[in-house]
Amino acid sequence: MNFIPPFTESPSGLFQTWQFQPAPAAPGVSYAIDAGGAEAEAGAQAYPVWRLELPADPISAEAVLSERQEVLGASRLALEDVPARIDELVLHARATGGVGLSFAPQTAETLPEPEADALELLHTLELPAVGLSFAAGSDERRGLEQAFDQFKADMDDLLRLVTHFAWVETQQEGRLIGRTVVGWSGDLDTLWQSGLTPEERELHRNSLRQALASRNILLHAIVVTVRSAAKLAVLLTTPGGAVLAIPVAWKFIKEVLADIEKYKLITQIPV
Amino acid sequence: MSNDNLLILNGINGASGEYDLPPQRPQDVARVARGLPLDLAEKQDIQIRRAVDQQSIASFGSLQSAEHFGLVEGKDPKDLSQAGWGVIFPSGLEARQLAALKEALQPLLAHRQAQAAAAVAHYYKECSGELGYQTGKSKNDFLKLHGRGPGVADPEKLPYYLLIAGDPEQIPYSFQYQLDVQYAVGRVFFESYEDYYRYAVSVVEAEKQGYKLKKKAAFFGAANPDDGATQLSAQHLIAPLAEHIRTEKPEWQVQVNQAEKAYKKDLDQLLRSKDAPAFLFTASHGMAFPSGDPRQIPHQGALLCQDWPGPKAHKGRIPENFYFTGEDLASDANLLGTLAFFFACYGAGTPRLDDFNRIAFKDKNEIAPRAFLSQLPTRMLAHPNGGALAVVGHVERAWGYSFVWEGVGEDLTTFESTLTRLMDGHPIGSALEHFNSRYAELASDLTTELDETDEETQNVVKIAGMWTANHDARNYMVIGDPAVRMMASKQASPPQERASIAETLGRAPQVSSIVVTPAPGAVQAASGPAVGTMAAVDYGLGDTLASLRGGLQQLGSKLGDFLSQALDDATSLEVSTYVSDNIAAVKYEKGQFTGARLRALTRVNIDGDTIVCVPEEDGEVDIELWNVHLQMLQQAQASRSELLKTAVSAVTGLTGLLKP
């Protein structure tokens, strides 16, 4: 029996190792009993799975885990740094005339990509107030709408990740060595392949630790997003500025985290 | 150093429960004073103001007898046709935004125009566009646009009463402080045009209908246990000020709510009563929050009531039921005709940067993501049943030195004179001239003291006191029209009950184009559904905003549900360990693996009870598996704790952001 059906691709790179798959409808296999009353939704909802494939060689396997751990640490640090970067961005925008009509596009070119993109989106948010050429359907508005849609999709995934039970699986060279069901309130049920060495068990334990940490980092990203949006809102005269700035802040954070990958800190990013 | 030598401020940090700024040593404050950057123009203002005040003392015997203060000789500040009235808009507003704002304020603008331009047309002035406030410009730059330099107000050039219509990010507090030295200045800023309109209608209704409220003044003062600041204000501000009014204005009914009568429910009762006071004076701590805290924008400056048991009895986060904020204002309240004075840190508003740290430590300490007005006064002014006329409050931290002076003890002259002037019929902006005069005097004295001494010879306690009093006097401001005045009845006429302005709002043809249209600079959207009525300013983002807001509300709500259930479920934590020879064939059903051996189970209950099943192999405890199981248990405990903590932060943040 193929216990885990094929994954559906997550729409967001932010959730790279976390994948979402539909709960199987096979009789006798109920994944949702442990999900705190979510049984009725079992057929409709996809549940989050963290599946880690490690090489057979123990040293190489540990190296992969170690690199992932570094990324988690770097992601956490990058998140902590976001408020300061947003402050700098606000100061920069103010010094260069804000995000309204006087905003000069060439200014954005000198900024790192997350900052430049955020300014562009904020600029677009301000555009509808100043002329008809920025009506719905224009390129400017499309970028904004994409950011909004992506934010909503990511939030759906995040909600599932936090409020649903999750599966964490560790495989070594295609062999499943450990599987843990993380109850939505924190209970852990772990299944081990018999005959594992302590080192092999440690691989799954580390994988589980990273999965839990990455889930928490993603949730923490929401906290940082809300705070960042409040800061960015000072640049907006558009009504509802703080709310509208949330997708902008979220995109900024995603790009900051994606930068970690660009700088080749590791080969794969779990968050 | 004894506590007597420490300067105590009226602010409590709602997140930590500690004092917003710890009591300061005079040496530190003196350091601030030595760094006080008074530029040439500011010095000139203060010197002119001092010269005028001294001339008044020579002419009238005392400053209290002088009628004109900042207004040119021969003009009566009680008469708008002599003093003039004007409104200042940010110059950067789009034409449509400006038109919408003027439309919302129209009832008030027309009313004031009729009064101020009765004899001379240009005694009424709307300063907008190039003549409005231009970002980054100083008070003197603004005066220059209107043909004036520093000096007493002359309505021939610029009216004495000036209403700023804009938020402190668009028109900074510093501009208002300096303009207020010679002019009578107030400010309005609301999140929606509807609120502007409500306020405008409230003022006009109150004045046109000639409201004659019962002469009732209420003094509300917390005296929290083990708290030096409120003990001081209760004893040396609230009680003697109430007594002063009783003695000097016997026709006024004076109600004192102090200490055990100063709980949040008491303030609620005062404000929701049909017999709400014509004048309310409060002294308490004002709430402060870390920059960006979800409670900062809605709750900073809220009045901390007697419910707070003091710094010794309560540690940590200050709960909402200890303080009174704009959200606590009852929907059935009616404050038409009321004037209020809040002595509290941030009672009127909050700047973005902290003056104290900026000057003392050259540290651009950001205390808020943006400058903003406190919500209690603005909600009082825009109450749908009838808004208050104006609220006087403090921007940034309020200091006890404003009513207790080193070597003198209690000195309430400024407060007493202001209240007397107000009760004698002076508009609020004119009544507050005593504070402006005090600011000019203290700034002038401080400058002289600093110019004539050096660090070696300076009396740090003296300078610290002068600096704090100087800033304290400077940072009082009027939220509302500076030309409003007490609406209390004369003895001959019986008091009137307040009527609701709802009917007037319903009659007005403009309302349909004003409702739910957020004002320029508004950070939060109007509370109603943002649909179809953005006639005045159409940003084209109404649907997106509504959809986003709905999505965020759903996210917050689901996270909240998750938290609620997780907390219910957090009474126990269960970790189980299974082993199988063919792991891929094992099913997970009804919360457990079937087809595998359960080797260890631990359930930890919140009451400390723990159920443990230990793995055995051939009658011996499988130590290696047991250790792995214990490690998983520790991991589960740590992970749950961290997840719940983060989820609480996320829900709190989202809730704060979405609050109307």
Side-chain angles (χ1 to χ4, degrees):
Chain A
M1 174 182 174
N2 183 9
F3 192 82
I4 303 293
F7 294 124
T8 53
E9 282 301 312
S10 166
S12 162
L14 197 66
F15 298 89
Q16 271 192 8
T17 302
W18 282 109
Q19 304 285 349
F20 297 90
Q21 65 176 62
V29 183
S30 170
Y31 294 90
I33 294 294
D34 196 37
E39 190 173 14
E41 298 174 329
Q45 285 204 340
Y47 65 96
V49 174
W50 171 286
R51 178 183 285 168
L52 190 58
E53 175 69 45
L54 296 171
D57 171 43
I59 294 174
S60 303
E62 278 176 21
V64 169
L65 282 165
S66 174
E67 283 175 343
R68 288 171 163 271
Q69 190 58 42
E70 278 181 35
V71 166
L72 278 176
S75 300
R76 201 176 277 119
L77 288 175
L79 267 184
E80 284 174 13
D81 196 36
V82 163
R85 286 180 69 166
I86 294 283
D87 286 343
E88 288 297 317
L89 177 61
V90 169
L91 286 175
H92 172 88
R94 280 193 165 134
T96 53
V99 295
L101 276 177
S102 58
F103 170 70
Q106 64 270 23
T107 309
E109 289 172 11
T110 63
L111 294 170
E113 194 177 337
E115 276 84 352
D117 287 352
L119 273 188
E120 198 175 320
L121 286 175
L122 291 170
H123 179 53
T124 309
L125 273 171
E126 289 287 88
L127 287 178
V130 298
L132 292 174
S133 62
F134 304 106
S138 66
D139 286 346
E140 291 89 348
R141 284 299 295 275
R142 248 192 306 279
L144 197 61
E145 281 159 13
Q146 278 170 2
F148 285 9
D149 291 343
Q150 187 61 62
F151 172 73
K152 284 179 194 166
D154 288 348
M155 288 308 104
D156 285 344
D157 284 349
L158 187 62
L159 259 181
R160 271 180 294 176
L161 189 56
V162 174
T163 62
H164 209 279
F165 70 100
W167 292 75
V168 178
E169 280 199 354
T170 309
Q171 298 188 12
Q172 207 173 8
E173 200 68 20
R175 181 179 66 122
L176 188 58
I177 59 171
R179 171 186 296 143
T180 297
V181 178
V182 184
W184 68 289
S185 65
D187 292 346
L188 297 183
D189 293 334
T190 304
L191 173 65
W192 296 100
Q193 176 65 43
S194 58
L196 294 179
T197 64
E199 290 74 22
E200 286 170 327
R201 284 198 173 121
E202 187 62 14
L203 293 178
H204 176 63
R205 218 172 61 74
N206 274 341
S207 177
L208 174 66
R209 185 166 49 224
Q210 291 180 6
L212 296 176
S214 92
R215 190 172 67 156
N216 198 53
I217 285 174
L218 282 167
L219 189 56
H220 185 59
I222 289 287
V223 178
V224 178
T225 299
V226 169
R227 290 180 185 156
S228 302
K231 287 170 182 273
L232 290 174
V234 303
L235 296 172
L236 297 173
T237 59
T238 311
V243 173
L244 289 170
I246 281 207
V248 180
W250 178 252
K251 186 168 190 286
F252 180 89
I253 286 168
K254 283 182 73 172
E255 289 181 0
V256 165
L257 295 179
D259 273 351
I260 296 169
E261 183 182 35
K262 279 185 193 167
Y263 294 126
K264 311 262 182 228
L265 281 173
I266 63 148
T267 53
Q268 192 181 14
I269 306 171
V271 289
Chain B
M1 171 179 279
S2 76
N3 281 344
D4 294 344
N5 289 332
L6 295 174
L7 303 178
I8 300 170
L9 314 168
N10 276 50
I12 292 292
N13 187 310
S16 68
E18 305 287 328
Y19 289 107
D20 182 40
L21 189 63
Q24 299 294 310
R25 294 180 311 152
Q27 293 93 312
D28 296 332
V29 184
R31 188 176 161 195
V32 176
R34 282 195 289 270
L36 184 68
L38 270 185
D39 65 23
L40 202 59
E42 286 173 325
K43 279 185 182 173
Q44 208 175 5
D45 275 344
I46 284 161
Q47 283 159 357
I48 291 169
R49 176 63 198 237
R50 281 296 294 148
V52 171
D53 289 346
Q54 282 162 354
Q55 190 186 349
S56 298
I57 292 170
S59 305
F60 299 99
S62 75
L63 204 54
Q64 281 66 46
S65 307
E67 278 290 307
H68 64 82
F69 277 108
L71 187 56
V72 69
E73 201 65 39
K75 302 282 187 188
D76 179 4
K78 288 185 191 173
D79 182 354
L80 260 58
S81 71
Q82 293 187 46
W85 190 93
V87 56
I88 303 170
F89 297 102
S91 64
L93 293 183
E94 296 294 326
R96 286 183 298 170
Q97 291 176 325
L98 180 63
L101 195 50
K102 284 187 179 179
E103 185 188 357
L105 281 171
Q106 189 50 37
L108 179 62
L109 300 185
H111 179 60
R112 291 288 182 240
Q113 185 170 21
Q115 294 171 322
V120 184
H122 61 264
Y123 277 21
Y124 170 82
K125 201 163 189 175
E126 291 181 9
C127 309
S128 59
E130 289 182 355
L131 291 178
Y133 174 76
Q134 296 171 19
T135 305
K137 298 292 184 184
S138 69
K139 181 264 304 180
N140 280 349
D141 294 334
F142 174 78
L143 290 182
K144 206 181 289 177
L145 288 174
H146 297 270
R148 285 304 316 275
V152 292
D154 181 358
E156 283 296 326
K157 301 284 186 182
L158 189 67
Y160 172 60
Y161 292 101
L162 290 169
L163 173 65
I164 293 172
D167 85 356
E169 283 288 321
Q170 295 168 311
I171 303 181
Y173 286 130
S174 56
F175 172 76
Q176 185 171 359
Y177 299 148
Q178 292 313 123
L179 192 64
D180 204 20
V181 172
Q182 294 288 7
Y183 295 79
V185 184
R187 180 194 290 265
V188 286
F189 174 72
F190 301 103
E191 295 285 346
S192 73
Y193 292 116
E194 185 184 22
D195 284 347
Y196 277 102
Y197 186 70
R198 284 173 178 163
Y199 175 66
V201 168
S202 293
V203 173
V204 174
E205 280 289 300
E207 294 194 3
K208 277 195 171 168
Q209 299 300 321
Y211 266 99
K212 302 299 178 194
L213 300 176
K214 186 175 172 182
K215 286 193 167 178
K216 178 179 168 184
F219 291 83
F220 182 93
N224 307 101
D226 308 310
D227 176 55
T230 51
Q231 296 289 339
L232 194 74
S233 59
Q235 189 182 349
H236 294 290
L237 182 59
I238 288 287
L241 203 53
E243 190 52 37
H244 172 80
I245 298 301
R246 273 200 191 103
T247 309
E248 296 297 317
K249 301 288 176 189
E251 69 277 18
W252 279 76
Q253 177 196 329
V254 175
Q255 177 179 337
V256 179
N257 282 67
Q258 210 166 346
E260 291 307 307
K261 290 180 183 171
Y263 284 92
K264 181 174 176 175
K265 65 178 170 52
D266 299 309
L267 187 53
D268 173 60
Q269 194 63 36
L270 260 179
L271 292 172
R272 93 163 54 220
S273 160
K274 285 194 185 312
D275 193 21
F279 177 68
L280 170 67
F281 187 98
T282 72
S284 69
H285 278 294
M287 293 303 301
F289 296 89
S291 179
D293 187 292
R295 285 197 288 168
Q296 188 180 42
I297 301 289
H299 295 177
Q300 183 129 324
L303 307 179
L304 187 62
C305 299
Q306 194 66 25
D307 307 70
W308 180 51
K312 286 187 182 167
H314 181 87
K315 302 287 182 194
R317 182 186 188 275
I318 302 286
E320 283 84 345
N321 59 355
F322 282 5
Y323 56 81
F324 195 96
T325 183
E327 295 156 8
D328 295 312
L329 206 54
S331 60
D332 59 350
N334 186 337
L335 297 170
L336 203 65
T338 289
L339 282 168
F341 193 124
F342 296 156
F343 177 80
C345 277
Y346 308 104
T350 302
R352 193 169 65 82
L353 297 176
D354 176 353
D355 266 353
F356 193 92
N357 279 283
R358 183 169 56 85
I359 296 167
F361 309 114
K362 306 298 176 204
D363 174 14
K364 284 196 298 182
N365 185 29
E366 188 183 272
I367 55 176
R370 61 184 169 93
F372 61 94
L373 293 184
S374 297
Q375 292 222 345
L376 178 56
T378 52
R379 289 205 180 192
M380 286 174 70
L381 263 56
H383 198 287
N385 293 335
L389 294 174
V391 176
V392 178
H394 204 273
V395 174
E396 235 224 26
R397 301 177 180 93
W399 306 67
Y401 266 50
S402 65
F403 56 90
V404 179
W405 193 252
E406 172 74 20
V408 176
E410 178 184 303
D411 184 356
L412 287 177
T413 312
T414 305
F415 282 96
E416 289 171 353
S417 301
T418 299
L419 263 54
T420 300
R421 205 168 157 90
L422 198 56
M423 288 173 175
D424 285 344
H426 274 268
I428 187 100
S430 169
L432 269 188
E433 287 287 10
H434 286 285
F435 277 92
N436 300 332
S437 174
R438 181 180 160 88
Y439 164 48
E441 179 182 3
L442 288 165
S444 176
D445 290 351
L446 180 58
T447 308
T448 304
E449 184 76 20
L450 292 170
D451 284 349
E452 293 178 355
T453 58
D454 54 40
E455 280 196 40
E456 297 292 312
T457 57
Q458 277 164 2
N459 178 338
V460 290
V461 174
K462 181 181 173 187
I463 288 180
M466 290 166 75
W467 188 89
T468 53
N470 168 67
H471 268 58
D472 192 59
R474 185 194 73 166
N475 288 18
Y476 281 98
M477 63 172 250
V478 176
I479 299 181
D481 179 357
V484 298
R485 61 189 88 198
M486 200 72 89
M487 289 282 110
S489 71
K490 291 174 183 155
Q491 276 177 321
S493 57
Q496 290 179 3
E497 281 199 3
R498 296 169 168 93
S500 170
I501 61 164
E503 194 188 334
T504 311
L505 291 174
R507 280 201 309 267
Q510 303 96 309
V511 174
S512 62
S513 65
I514 290 167
V515 169
V516 305
T517 309
V523 169
Q524 294 168 320
S527 51
V531 286
T533 50
M534 294 191 175
V537 181
D538 181 10
Y539 293 86
L541 286 167
D543 289 344
T544 307
L545 179 60
S547 156
L548 201 53
R549 183 176 284 276
L552 288 168
Q553 272 166 347
Q554 199 181 11
L555 176 67
S557 165
K558 283 188 177 171
L559 278 176
D561 291 346
F562 157 72
L563 264 181
S564 168
Q565 291 183 49
L567 289 172
D568 284 347
D569 230 31
T571 51
S572 70
L573 182 68
E574 191 170 295
V575 172
S576 52
T577 299
Y578 295 80
V579 175
S580 170
D581 295 334
N582 183 10
I583 184 171
V586 175
K587 292 179 181 176
Y588 190 73
E589 298 176 312
K590 299 181 180 177
Q592 58 185 10
F593 289 106
T594 57
R597 284 170 289 151
L598 175 64
R599 299 298 313 281
L601 171 76
T602 302
R603 177 181 291 149
V604 183
N605 290 328
I606 199 167
D607 57 8
D609 286 353
T610 305
I611 298 169
V612 180
C613 297
V614 183
E616 289 185 357
E617 194 73 53
D618 301 327
E620 296 286 319
V621 173
D622 185 341
I623 297 292
E624 196 268 317
L625 188 64
W626 178 239
N627 284 339
V628 170
H629 178 79
L630 287 180
Q631 287 168 342
M632 299 297 260
L633 178 64
Q634 286 170 355
Q635 208 158 319
Q637 287 171 322
S639 169
R640 173 193 272 186
S641 162
E642 200 178 358
L643 184 71
L644 289 181
K645 205 168 98 183
T646 313
V648 167
S649 297
V651 171
T652 311
L654 283 167
T655 308
L657 192 82
L658 293 168
K659 260 184 189 166

